Structure formats: C-alpha cells, structure tokens
Amino acid sequence: MCPTLPPPRSVEVTGHVRTIRNQKRRSFVELGDGSTTVTLQALLDPAQATGLGTGTSVRISGLWQPSPSGKEQSHELHAHSVKILGTADAESFPLQKKYHSSEFLRTIPHFRLRVPSQALLARLRSDCEYYASSYFRAQHSIRAYPPIITSSDCEGAGEVFTLQSRQDPKQDAGSIGESREAHDFFREAKYLTVSSQLHLEAYVHEHPQVWTLSPTFRAEKSDTPRHLSEFYMLEAELRTESLSEVMDTVERLIRHISLNVQNSPLGKELMDALYVDNAEATQSLARGETIKARLNGLKKLYWPRITYSSAIDLLKAADSSGEINFQYKPDWSAGLQLEHEKFIASEIGLGSPVFVTDYPKAVKPFYMLPSEPSEHPSGDVPAKETVACFDLFLPDLCEVVGGSLREHRLEALEDSMLKHGLLGNDGSARASSSSLQWYLDLRRYGSVPHGGFGLGFDRLLSYLAGVDNVRDVVPWPRYYGRCDG
C-alpha cells in the first residue's frame, strides 16, 4: 500500500529572481529572499513568466508540492498567480549567473547585498550581535552608548579623522581648511572616535561592568585584507584588579558567540560551505573544512597564555635555529610583526587562540597599568618596563582583541601622560590634550581599579565565516583610497 501524501499547501512567497529558464511549456524560476542560501524553485506557465528576468522582484502564489523523484529540491512551487513588484533589465543587471570576483562586487556594494553569500554574512552579523548582547545581559553588564565625535585620540597614534564643518554650501572645496578657526563648528578640533574606551571608563566608575558595539574610525593608510577605515569595535570595561579576569571575559564571550553560531542553522550553512557563490566544488569544500576547524578550535577549554618576553625568546630561538627566517628579526623593544603573530598562533595555539601578555611599556598607550614586579626580564634586556596588557591572536587572522588594566592612580597617570607628551612640565595639559582633563578627573575623584578590552567585530566575523578579506564582511567597506556609496 502506498503511503498517503499530505495535500499540497497554498503559499505565497516574495523574492528576487536569481535565474529563469524558459521552456516551451514551462518556465523554471529560482527565487531568493536572503533568508537562506538555498533558492526556491517555482514552476510557471510561459505567459506567467512574461516580464521576468534576473533581478526582478516578484510575488508568487501557488501550491507547494513535492518535486518528482531525482530532483535536487524536495518541493517546488506550482504558481497560480505572479505579480511583478519591481522590474529589472536582465541584460544590464550587474549580477548575472556567473562568478563575480570580490573586487568587482566591492564596486557595487548596493547590489552586493543581494548576493547569497552576502545575505548570509548579514545574518551572521545580526546573530553574533545578538549572542554578544545575550552574553553581557547574563553578566548583568550595562550596554553603553558613547559618543562618535570625540575630543581626543585615545590610542595616541594620530591616525584620526578630523571633523570640519562647511558653513557655506557654495564655498569652493579647495578653500576648506584655509581658515581653521572660521569653520570649527565646535570651536576647537574634534575627531571621529578611534575607540570608546575612555568614555566607557567613565561609565565603569558607576556601573561594575559596561560594554558597547559601535563604529570606530582610523585614518590609517593600510591597504591590507585586515584593515578598514570604518569598522565596528566591541568594547567592554569592568571593575577588576586582575588581568586574568579581563582575559577570562574575552574567552567566555568569544566561546559563547562561536558555540551559538556552530549550533545554529546558519552555522550549518557556513560549515557546509553553501554560501560560496559559483565557486569550484573543491574550493567550497576547503572553505567548509576551514570553518569547522576554526569553530572547533574556539571550543577548546584551554587557550594558551604566554608573556611577550617568552614570545620573543621563542621567536629568536626559531629564527636562530633556521626553523624559520623572519623578514623582521625579533627584537624585544620593536613589538611584534604579523609574521611573528602568525608563528606564535601556529606554534603555541595549535588551532586555538593565544593570549600574549605584558608588552613593553614603550610600545603601548599612556593609560595602561604597569605589570606586576614578578614579571622578570628576558635574557638580553637589562632593564625593561612592561604593562599589564594582552593581545589575542586567532590562527590565520592573528590579532583580534587587545586589552589591559587601566592606570587608575592620578599621580602615576599624570607621570605617564607627561612622558607621552600629553602634559607640560608644570603638569598643565598641552593644547592638544586639554580635552583629557576630564579623564584625569576620573582619577581625582573616587577612582576604582578597572580594565577592559576592544574586540574587532568585523575581524571576528571574517574568521567565523572563513572570509579572507575583512572588506567582504562589511556591506559598505571604507578603506584607504575607497569609499563607495
């Protein structure tokens, strides 16, 4: 006896035509709506397909029926009615049924959002923001909303975008900046934020733990797959005297996000590599295996922690033994280069993230608390000062998180600012740093020990999605020499 099949259901769907194949008696339409990388197939009469083409926005009503045996899809939509919501010239529509390079898609960011892989990345971003929010909510952490326009360069690197108002719309572009004082809307120089840290520190004096996810801007002329001029930074501050507690928070947060991704339907799409548009099967499988390995690495219960001094010793030993030939020779006072970070992540992490702690004070910003005296010097460095800080390296991608304990003592902070050229010899703030007086006031009136971190949210997304270039996980990427749309 044949099993009784359920009767076909009447459904209505809305989406864009991905492809259309017209035959004498039937037209086969593949629809997508961004909710999945898998398309829906609709069967139309030739008359119903009139005016349809790639890119057309359409609403189709009909019966949802099982497909004949041997078909890729389990069900298909037999159309009763078709309504065109938005026409599209199939010949000139930029997204044809063929392979489009990432470089080409970046030139049409307004259409790139319709590519199935980009729709998946948009859903990944939305889900990861939700997972981050749920983690901090469970920790009773307050979400803060710090300003985008700021008075200071938090990192002190000078790579800031300076705001300049234009009072007269008829004014020639070339004349802007000729008279600075005449056009400063805020009466003095203001910048797009490079970090929300300083303002979060104000919050943490009232709330035990705070966090934010907000846009950040860096005028850094770096043309690499890891850099953007506008990106999202997840930052948090908490009351603590322990650097380990800050690192624990980072570890728990990232593991929470990655586990939720891995256990979600979206995670299955990622790991099955369904989103690699028109790529070769071998490339698709390799991408899927990379994502699986990364998610499994983030699940590991132990993420190694190594001091900067020990890392330098490791790098020097590898270089001197001929195990690897670094372009930039390891030097304690010079900081770490990308090639060093990759080696540390590979050799120490073995697939899991790696924390590197206690960097030289000279290569870090003014606000970091000195390390504990128990951190002893590395071999050929006679005297060194380090600060209680860390970077987190992910395999392949490298630095994704940076954090530290903050200098909460007024006199020590003033001394650090003096050494960094932010205060005059008489203790008065220089013109370029007068806006930091409020930051000193936090130490002057009821300071508390605290620390925090900043996580490059776009970099984390690119790592989870197996995307090599961070510009391809941002809808409208802004980077040196490029700002489309």
Side-chain angles (χ1 to χ4, degrees), residues 87-211:
T87 60
D89 181 359
E91 295 296 323
S92 61
F93 184 58
L95 301 177
Q96 299 294 322
K97 189 179 181 180
K98 63 178 182 179
Y99 173 75
H100 298 293
S101 69
S102 298
E103 291 76 12
F104 168 73
L105 290 173
R106 289 183 210 129
T107 67
I108 50 169
H110 52 301
F111 286 128
R112 186 173 71 153
L113 294 170
R114 300 190 198 179
V115 175
S117 63
Q118 286 295 313
L120 177 60
L121 291 173
R123 289 186 282 124
L124 175 65
R125 178 181 292 271
S126 178
D127 285 2
C128 287
E129 181 172 349
Y130 170 76
Y131 299 143
S133 180
S134 66
Y135 170 80
F136 283 114
R137 181 73 176 178
Q139 304 302 313
H140 306 288
S141 181
I142 299 297
R143 181 164 186 175
Y145 295 87
I148 301 298
I149 300 174
T150 67
S151 302
S152 61
D153 174 7
C154 172
E155 298 298 318
E159 296 161 346
V160 296
F161 288 102
T162 304
L163 289 181
Q164 182 75 61
S165 63
R166 186 175 180 180
Q167 301 292 345
D168 184 358
K170 298 180 181 179
Q171 183 182 19
D172 292 336
S175 63
I176 294 180
E178 291 178 2
S179 177
R180 175 86 200 198
E181 295 180 357
H183 302 295
D184 275 333
F185 184 84
F186 296 106
R187 299 183 181 179
E188 58 183 15
K190 302 298 175 183
Y191 315 99
L192 294 179
T193 182
V194 299
S195 171
S196 297
Q197 176 202 317
L198 302 189
H199 293 91
L200 289 183
E201 289 189 57
Y203 275 100
V204 85
H205 281 76
E206 180 63 21
H207 306 282
Q209 186 175 151
V210 296
W211 74 285

Side-chain angles (χ1 to χ4, degrees), residues 67 96 166 170 236 241 253 257 275 298 314-315 323-324 347 373 418 433 447:
S67 301
Q96 299 294 322
R166 186 175 180 180
K170 298 180 181 179
E241 297 182 61
L253 168 65
I257 293 173
Y275 72 101
L298 293 173
L314 174 70
L315 294 169
E323 178 182 354
I324 188 171
E347 294 298 310
L418 177 63
S433 59
S447 180

Side-chain angles (χ1 to χ4, degrees), residues 338-349:
L338 179 60
E339 59 179 338
H340 303 149
E341 296 177 1
K342 288 185 175 181
F343 184 83
I344 293 168
S346 173
E347 294 298 310
I348 301 297

